[in-house]
Amino acid sequence: MLTGVVYHCQQAFEEALKAFLVWHSQNVPRTHALPDLVILCEQIDPSFSSLATAAAQVTPCGTAFRYPPIVVGLSDLDAFEALDAARDALAFVLARHPSTVHP
């Protein structure tokens, strides 16, 4: 179950970054590498550098549990950290969009 949680956290983080790029009419690469997406976002808004560490920590959650070899041994803490990172990334990106596009 925890593998599903961290996977979806990585996906939420990824989609938030990609949404920012789309909003700014940028090409969005086919990648799950959050640090690469952060770098692209930094070119538009340098404050995205604040997401770099979390992006590097959460990136493996997008593939480590879907493709062999499967990584096991997740703790509740791992899941909560991934969830916090995804929430923070989403809030960060939403704060850089007009309020008219907020959910």
Side-chain angles (χ1 to χ4, degrees), residues 14-56:
E14 178 182 327
E15 296 307 321
L17 296 174
K18 288 180 175 180
F20 181 80
L21 293 170
V22 168
W23 183 259
H24 290 280
S25 302
Q26 301 298 302
N27 290 326
V28 178
R30 292 182 58 134
T31 184
H32 299 298
L34 300 179
D36 294 348
L37 295 171
V38 168
I39 289 168
L40 293 173
C41 292
E42 283 177 335
Q43 294 171 5
I44 300 164
D45 180 344
S47 68
F48 271 80
S49 63
S50 66
L51 297 178
T53 299

